[in-house]
Amino acid sequence: MANELNATVSRVDLINHGLMVVRVIPDEGVPSFAAGQYAVLGLPGSAPRVDYAEPEAPPPDPEKLIKRAYSITSSSQQGEYLEFYVALVHSGALTPRIFALVAGDRIWIGKKIVGMFTLADTTPGHDIIFVATGTGLAPYISMLRSGYRFEDEHKTVIIHGARISWDLGYMRELVGLATRWPNVYYLPIIDQIERDPDWPGQVGFVNVFFEDGTVERLLGHSPSPTRTSVFLCGNPLMIQMMEAKLLGEGFRLHTRKEQGTLFVEKYWAD
Ligand SMILES: Cc1cc2nc3c(=O)[nH]c(=O)nc-3n(C[C@H](O)[C@H](O)[C@H](O)COP(=O)(O)OP(=O)(O)OC[C@H]3O[C@@H](n4cnc5c(N)ncnc54)[C@H](O)[C@@H]3O)c2cc1C
Protein backbone atom coordinates (compact mmCIF):
# COMPACT_ATOMS: atom_id res chain seq x y z
CA MET A 1 0.00 0.00 0.00
CA ALA A 2 1.22 3.48 -0.91
CA ASN A 3 1.04 4.86 2.63
CA GLU A 4 2.34 1.88 4.57
CA LEU A 5 5.46 2.56 6.64
CA ASN A 6 8.16 1.11 4.43
CA ALA A 7 11.49 1.86 6.08
CA THR A 8 13.29 1.40 9.40
CA VAL A 9 15.21 3.99 11.36
CA SER A 10 18.66 2.48 11.88
CA ARG A 11 20.33 5.25 13.84
CA VAL A 12 19.52 8.56 15.49
CA ASP A 13 22.16 11.07 16.61
CA LEU A 14 20.83 14.09 18.46
CA ILE A 15 23.31 16.92 17.91
CA ASN A 16 21.24 18.94 20.39
CA HIS A 17 17.53 19.27 21.20
CA GLY A 18 16.89 21.05 17.91
CA LEU A 19 19.07 19.17 15.44
CA MET A 20 19.42 15.53 14.56
CA VAL A 21 21.06 13.17 12.11
CA VAL A 22 18.85 10.21 11.30
CA ARG A 23 19.56 7.16 9.17
CA VAL A 24 16.82 5.23 7.41
CA ILE A 25 16.91 1.88 5.63
CA PRO A 26 14.12 1.48 3.03
CA ASP A 27 12.64 -2.06 2.98
CA GLU A 28 13.30 -2.26 -0.75
CA GLY A 29 16.90 -1.10 -0.43
CA VAL A 30 18.46 2.30 -1.03
CA PRO A 31 17.36 3.62 -4.42
CA SER A 32 19.95 5.20 -6.68
CA PHE A 33 20.15 8.96 -6.48
CA ALA A 34 22.41 11.89 -7.30
CA ALA A 35 24.13 13.69 -4.43
CA GLY A 36 22.17 16.84 -3.60
CA GLN A 37 18.74 15.33 -4.22
CA TYR A 38 15.98 14.89 -1.64
CA ALA A 39 13.59 12.21 -0.48
CA VAL A 40 10.16 12.57 1.13
CA LEU A 41 9.76 11.24 4.68
CA GLY A 42 6.43 10.67 6.40
CA LEU A 43 4.87 9.66 9.70
CA PRO A 44 1.21 9.33 10.68
CA GLY A 45 -0.44 11.93 12.89
CA SER A 46 -0.73 9.18 15.53
CA ALA A 47 3.08 8.99 15.87
CA PRO A 48 4.39 10.37 19.19
CA ARG A 49 5.82 13.90 19.34
CA VAL A 50 8.66 15.10 21.56
CA ASP A 51 7.28 16.79 24.65
CA TYR A 52 9.44 19.90 24.23
CA ALA A 53 7.70 20.81 20.94
CA GLU A 54 4.70 23.17 20.99
CA PRO A 55 1.44 21.33 21.74
CA GLU A 56 -0.85 20.84 18.76
CA ALA A 57 -4.54 20.09 18.21
CA PRO A 58 -5.16 16.36 17.67
CA PRO A 59 -4.87 15.62 13.93
CA PRO A 60 -8.34 15.06 12.35
CA ASP A 61 -7.20 11.81 10.69
CA PRO A 62 -4.48 10.28 12.91
CA GLU A 63 -3.57 7.64 10.33
CA LYS A 64 -2.96 10.14 7.51
CA LEU A 65 0.73 10.52 6.75
CA ILE A 66 2.41 13.89 7.25
CA LYS A 67 5.03 14.12 4.50
CA ARG A 68 7.93 16.54 3.99
CA ALA A 69 11.03 16.77 1.77
CA TYR A 70 14.51 16.13 3.21
CA SER A 71 17.85 16.45 1.43
CA ILE A 72 20.01 13.36 1.71
CA THR A 73 23.38 13.73 3.43
CA SER A 74 24.72 10.23 2.82
CA SER A 75 26.93 9.28 -0.09
CA SER A 76 25.22 8.23 -3.30
CA GLN A 77 27.97 5.63 -3.59
CA GLN A 78 26.93 3.52 -0.60
CA GLY A 79 23.72 1.52 -0.60
CA GLU A 80 23.32 0.68 3.11
CA TYR A 81 21.15 3.57 4.37
CA LEU A 82 19.99 7.12 3.67
CA GLU A 83 21.06 9.80 6.12
CA PHE A 84 19.23 13.08 6.83
CA TYR A 85 20.06 16.22 8.84
CA VAL A 86 16.85 17.54 10.38
CA ALA A 87 16.02 20.70 12.35
CA LEU A 88 13.14 20.71 14.83
CA VAL A 89 10.40 23.21 14.00
CA HIS A 90 8.70 23.46 17.42
CA SER A 91 5.33 24.35 15.89
CA GLY A 92 5.80 21.96 12.99
CA ALA A 93 3.64 19.02 11.99
CA LEU A 94 6.31 16.45 11.12
CA THR A 95 9.59 17.34 12.81
CA PRO A 96 8.34 16.95 16.44
CA ARG A 97 7.45 13.37 15.40
CA ILE A 98 10.80 12.78 13.68
CA PHE A 99 12.56 13.92 16.86
CA ALA A 100 10.70 11.26 18.86
CA LEU A 101 12.09 8.45 16.67
CA VAL A 102 14.54 5.89 18.02
CA ALA A 103 16.49 3.17 16.23
CA GLY A 104 14.16 0.37 15.17
CA ASP A 105 11.11 2.62 14.60
CA ARG A 106 9.27 2.51 11.31
CA ILE A 107 8.88 5.46 8.94
CA TRP A 108 7.53 6.12 5.44
CA ILE A 109 9.84 7.13 2.61
CA GLY A 110 8.77 8.10 -0.89
CA LYS A 111 10.04 5.76 -3.60
CA LYS A 112 11.37 8.56 -5.78
CA ILE A 113 14.42 10.61 -4.89
CA VAL A 114 14.35 13.81 -6.89
CA GLY A 115 15.74 17.31 -7.33
CA MET A 116 18.05 19.21 -9.63
CA PHE A 117 20.23 20.74 -6.92
CA THR A 118 23.23 18.62 -7.91
CA LEU A 119 26.71 19.00 -9.32
CA ALA A 120 25.63 17.49 -12.68
CA ASP A 121 25.29 20.83 -14.48
CA THR A 122 28.30 22.61 -13.05
CA THR A 123 31.08 23.61 -15.43
CA PRO A 124 34.24 21.49 -15.07
CA GLY A 125 37.09 23.55 -13.63
CA HIS A 126 34.82 26.10 -11.97
CA ASP A 127 35.52 27.00 -8.38
CA ILE A 128 32.56 26.02 -6.22
CA ILE A 129 31.06 28.00 -3.36
CA PHE A 130 28.58 26.13 -1.18
CA VAL A 131 26.51 28.48 0.99
CA ALA A 132 24.16 27.07 3.64
CA THR A 133 22.18 28.13 6.64
CA GLY A 134 21.22 25.48 9.20
CA THR A 135 20.30 22.12 7.72
CA GLY A 136 20.75 23.64 4.26
CA LEU A 137 24.21 22.10 4.60
CA ALA A 138 22.70 18.64 3.97
CA PRO A 139 22.98 18.40 0.17
CA TYR A 140 26.62 19.56 0.25
CA ILE A 141 27.52 16.83 2.74
CA SER A 142 26.21 14.26 0.29
CA MET A 143 28.06 15.89 -2.62
CA LEU A 144 31.32 15.98 -0.67
CA ARG A 145 30.87 12.31 0.33
CA SER A 146 30.02 11.11 -3.17
CA GLY A 147 33.25 11.04 -5.19
CA TYR A 148 33.75 14.81 -5.08
CA ARG A 149 36.70 16.01 -7.23
CA PHE A 150 38.97 17.17 -4.40
CA GLU A 151 42.20 16.56 -6.33
CA ASP A 152 41.36 18.87 -9.23
CA GLU A 153 42.67 22.38 -9.54
CA HIS A 154 39.36 24.04 -8.66
CA LYS A 155 38.77 25.47 -5.21
CA THR A 156 35.83 24.72 -2.92
CA VAL A 157 34.55 27.14 -0.30
CA ILE A 158 31.96 25.84 2.17
CA ILE A 159 30.16 28.60 4.08
CA HIS A 160 27.87 27.47 6.91
CA GLY A 161 25.77 29.91 8.91
CA ALA A 162 24.00 28.99 12.15
CA ARG A 163 22.68 30.77 15.21
CA ILE A 164 25.24 29.32 17.66
CA SER A 165 28.29 27.10 17.31
CA TRP A 166 26.60 23.93 18.61
CA ASP A 167 24.20 24.26 15.67
CA LEU A 168 27.11 23.84 13.25
CA GLY A 169 26.48 20.19 12.42
CA TYR A 170 29.09 18.14 10.52
CA MET A 171 31.78 20.59 11.67
CA ARG A 172 34.31 17.89 12.47
CA GLU A 173 33.88 16.28 9.03
CA LEU A 174 34.23 19.63 7.26
CA VAL A 175 37.26 20.69 9.31
CA GLY A 176 38.75 17.30 8.39
CA LEU A 177 38.21 17.90 4.67
CA ALA A 178 39.64 21.41 4.84
CA THR A 179 42.68 20.11 6.70
CA ARG A 180 43.26 17.29 4.25
CA TRP A 181 42.66 19.12 0.95
CA PRO A 182 44.56 22.37 0.30
CA ASN A 183 41.88 23.67 -2.08
CA VAL A 184 38.98 23.21 0.33
CA TYR A 185 37.99 25.97 2.76
CA TYR A 186 35.39 25.70 5.53
CA LEU A 187 33.98 28.98 6.81
CA PRO A 188 31.52 28.64 9.71
CA ILE A 189 29.75 31.71 11.07
CA ILE A 190 27.20 32.32 13.84
CA ASP A 191 24.80 35.21 14.32
CA GLN A 192 23.80 34.92 18.01
CA ILE A 193 27.11 35.66 19.74
CA GLU A 194 25.25 36.79 22.90
CA ARG A 195 24.19 33.14 23.42
CA ASP A 196 27.67 31.82 22.57
CA PRO A 197 30.12 34.47 23.84
CA ASP A 198 33.15 32.15 23.76
CA TRP A 199 32.84 31.43 20.02
CA PRO A 200 36.24 32.36 18.61
CA GLY A 201 35.16 32.53 14.96
CA GLN A 202 33.29 34.89 12.66
CA VAL A 203 30.02 36.50 13.67
CA GLY A 204 27.22 37.65 11.36
CA PHE A 205 25.45 36.25 8.34
CA VAL A 206 26.93 34.20 5.51
CA ASN A 207 27.36 37.29 3.30
CA VAL A 208 30.11 38.56 5.67
CA PHE A 209 32.66 36.34 3.92
CA PHE A 210 31.81 37.96 0.58
CA GLU A 211 31.77 41.51 1.96
CA ASP A 212 35.03 41.30 3.90
CA GLY A 213 37.05 39.91 0.98
CA THR A 214 37.57 36.40 2.45
CA VAL A 215 36.03 34.57 -0.52
CA GLU A 216 37.97 36.67 -3.02
CA ARG A 217 41.23 36.07 -1.14
CA LEU A 218 40.70 32.29 -0.98
CA LEU A 219 39.70 31.96 -4.63
CA GLY A 220 42.36 34.40 -5.81
CA HIS A 221 39.69 36.34 -7.73
CA SER A 222 36.20 37.71 -7.11
CA PRO A 223 33.46 35.15 -7.66
CA SER A 224 32.37 35.52 -11.29
CA PRO A 225 29.85 33.56 -13.39
CA THR A 226 32.57 32.53 -15.85
CA ARG A 227 34.80 30.97 -13.18
CA THR A 228 32.56 30.15 -10.24
CA SER A 229 29.48 28.04 -9.52
CA VAL A 230 27.59 29.10 -6.42
CA PHE A 231 25.11 26.94 -4.50
CA LEU A 232 22.63 28.43 -1.99
CA CYS A 233 20.53 26.25 0.30
CA GLY A 234 18.36 26.75 3.36
CA ASN A 235 16.59 29.78 4.80
CA PRO A 236 14.63 31.79 2.19
CA LEU A 237 15.84 35.13 3.59
CA MET A 238 19.48 34.13 3.15
CA ILE A 239 18.68 32.97 -0.38
CA GLN A 240 16.88 36.22 -1.18
CA MET A 241 19.83 38.28 0.07
CA MET A 242 22.55 36.21 -1.65
CA GLU A 243 20.58 35.81 -4.86
CA ALA A 244 20.06 39.58 -5.17
CA LYS A 245 23.77 40.18 -4.62
CA LEU A 246 24.95 37.53 -7.09
CA LEU A 247 22.38 38.30 -9.81
CA GLY A 248 23.58 41.91 -9.52
CA GLU A 249 27.10 40.66 -10.24
CA GLY A 250 26.07 38.90 -13.45
CA PHE A 251 25.26 35.40 -12.16
CA ARG A 252 22.25 33.67 -13.72
CA LEU A 253 19.97 31.22 -11.98
CA HIS A 254 20.28 27.64 -13.11
CA THR A 255 16.82 26.35 -14.03
CA ARG A 256 15.38 23.41 -15.93
CA LYS A 257 15.22 25.57 -19.04
CA GLU A 258 18.33 27.69 -18.69
CA GLN A 259 21.93 26.92 -17.85
CA GLY A 260 23.27 29.20 -15.12
CA THR A 261 25.99 29.10 -12.48
CA LEU A 262 23.78 29.99 -9.50
CA PHE A 263 22.07 26.91 -8.04
CA VAL A 264 19.34 27.42 -5.44
CA GLU A 265 17.36 25.14 -3.09
CA LYS A 266 14.83 26.87 -0.82
CA TYR A 267 13.64 24.85 2.20
CA TRP A 268 10.46 26.83 2.81
CA ALA A 269 8.60 29.85 1.42
CA ASP A 270 9.15 33.25 3.03
C1 LIG B 1 13.73 20.37 -1.26
C2 LIG B 1 13.64 20.50 0.25
C3 LIG B 1 14.60 19.88 1.03
C4 LIG B 1 14.53 20.00 2.42
N1 LIG B 1 15.52 19.42 3.17
C5 LIG B 1 15.51 19.59 4.51
C6 LIG B 1 16.57 19.03 5.30
O1 LIG B 1 17.51 18.39 4.79
N2 LIG B 1 16.50 19.20 6.65
C7 LIG B 1 15.48 19.92 7.23
O2 LIG B 1 15.48 20.05 8.47
N3 LIG B 1 14.47 20.45 6.51
C8 LIG B 1 14.47 20.29 5.16
N4 LIG B 1 13.44 20.80 4.42
C9 LIG B 1 12.28 21.40 5.13
C10 LIG B 1 11.28 20.26 5.44
O3 LIG B 1 10.71 19.79 4.24
C11 LIG B 1 10.14 20.73 6.36
O4 LIG B 1 9.55 21.89 5.81
C12 LIG B 1 10.61 21.04 7.78
O5 LIG B 1 11.24 19.91 8.34
C13 LIG B 1 9.44 21.49 8.67
O6 LIG B 1 8.46 20.47 8.69
P1 LIG B 1 7.34 20.47 9.81
O7 LIG B 1 6.23 19.60 9.31
O8 LIG B 1 7.89 20.15 11.14
O9 LIG B 1 6.86 21.98 9.82
P2 LIG B 1 5.55 22.58 9.12
O10 LIG B 1 4.34 22.25 9.89
O11 LIG B 1 5.56 22.19 7.68
O12 LIG B 1 5.87 24.14 9.26
C14 LIG B 1 6.87 24.69 8.42
C15 LIG B 1 6.97 26.19 8.71
O13 LIG B 1 7.89 26.39 9.78
C16 LIG B 1 8.79 27.44 9.46
N5 LIG B 1 10.17 26.95 9.59
C17 LIG B 1 11.03 27.37 10.51
N6 LIG B 1 12.20 26.74 10.39
C18 LIG B 1 12.09 25.88 9.37
C19 LIG B 1 12.97 24.92 8.78
N7 LIG B 1 14.22 24.72 9.24
N8 LIG B 1 12.54 24.22 7.74
C20 LIG B 1 11.29 24.42 7.29
N9 LIG B 1 10.41 25.28 7.82
C21 LIG B 1 10.80 26.02 8.85
C22 LIG B 1 8.42 27.97 8.10
O14 LIG B 1 7.66 29.14 8.30
C23 LIG B 1 7.54 26.92 7.49
O15 LIG B 1 6.53 27.44 6.70
C24 LIG B 1 13.49 20.72 3.02
C25 LIG B 1 12.50 21.31 2.23
C26 LIG B 1 12.60 21.23 0.87
C27 LIG B 1 11.54 21.91 0.02
Side-chain angles (χ1 to χ4, degrees):
M1 274 191 6
N3 277 350
E4 214 164 275
L5 302 188
N6 59 356
T8 301
V9 172
S10 62
R11 182 170 168 163
V12 171
D13 289 307
L14 270 191
I15 295 174
N16 55 49
H17 271 30
L19 276 175
M20 77 190 289
V21 175
V22 57
R23 289 184 182 174
V24 171
I25 302 178
D27 296 345
E28 292 180 8
V30 171
S32 65
F33 68 96
Q37 291 188 308
Y38 62 90
V40 176
L41 298 178
L43 285 168
S46 58
R49 301 171 83 243
V50 280
D51 58 9
Y52 47 90
E54 280 176 26
E56 66 168 18
D61 177 0
E63 289 324 305
K64 187 166 179 236
L65 288 181
I66 307 161
K67 299 177 183 174
R68 299 286 185 268
Y70 293 94
S71 304
I72 296 165
T73 58
S74 42
S75 166
S76 60
Q77 297 177 328
Q78 63 84 6
E80 285 173 54
Y81 56 81
L82 291 167
E83 184 181 283
F84 303 93
Y85 179 34
V86 183
L88 174 67
V89 175
H90 285 262
S91 58
L94 183 60
T95 51
R97 294 177 165 85
I98 292 184
F99 271 70
L101 291 170
V102 295
D105 283 347
R106 299 282 288 162
I107 189 168
W108 181 88
I109 185 162
K111 285 199 194 316
K112 281 198 188 143
I113 296 182
V114 290
M116 47 179 294
F117 192 69
T118 70
L119 292 166
D121 294 329
T122 51
T123 310
H126 264 206
D127 292 325
I128 295 195
I129 306 178
F130 292 128
V131 184
T133 52
T135 52
L137 187 71
Y140 310 143
I141 296 295
S142 180
M143 292 175 193
L144 294 164
R145 288 172 166 180
S146 305
Y148 190 80
R149 295 171 291 115
F150 290 107
E151 311 80 356
D152 294 1
E153 283 304 295
H154 78 280
K155 297 187 174 177
T156 303
V157 178
I158 305 153
I159 300 177
H160 190 196
R163 292 165 308 173
I164 40 185
S165 59
W166 49 97
D167 281 351
L168 290 164
Y170 295 93
M171 185 185 230
R172 193 182 295 182
E173 185 167 334
L174 294 172
V175 168
L177 288 179
T179 307
R180 174 161 178 219
W181 301 102
N183 283 346
V184 175
Y185 308 97
Y186 169 54
L187 305 178
I189 186 161
I190 66 162
D191 61 59
Q192 294 187 358
I193 190 70
E194 63 287 357
R195 289 176 58 203
D196 191 0
D198 295 331
W199 165 248
Q202 274 284 9
V203 178
F205 297 113
V206 291
N207 62 316
V208 162
F209 295 115
F210 291 83
E211 314 296 342
D212 72 1
T214 304
V215 170
E216 184 173 345
R217 181 174 50 79
L218 296 175
L219 295 182
H221 57 87
S222 344
S224 85
T226 53
R227 300 176 72 175
T228 328
S229 294
V230 182
F231 286 74
L232 309 176
C233 186
N235 183 317
L237 291 177
M238 176 279 280
I239 288 173
Q240 206 181 340
M241 173 180 67
M242 288 301 303
E243 214 179 78
K245 174 189 162 49
L246 293 164
L247 293 177
E249 290 170 9
F251 280 85
R252 286 166 70 163
L253 268 185
H254 184 73
T255 64
R256 255 175 232 290
K257 290 190 182 144
E258 237 189 297
Q259 175 76 32
T261 55
L262 179 57
F263 300 77
V264 171
E265 187 88 287
K266 215 184 272 186
Y267 273 3
W268 71 97
D270 346 5

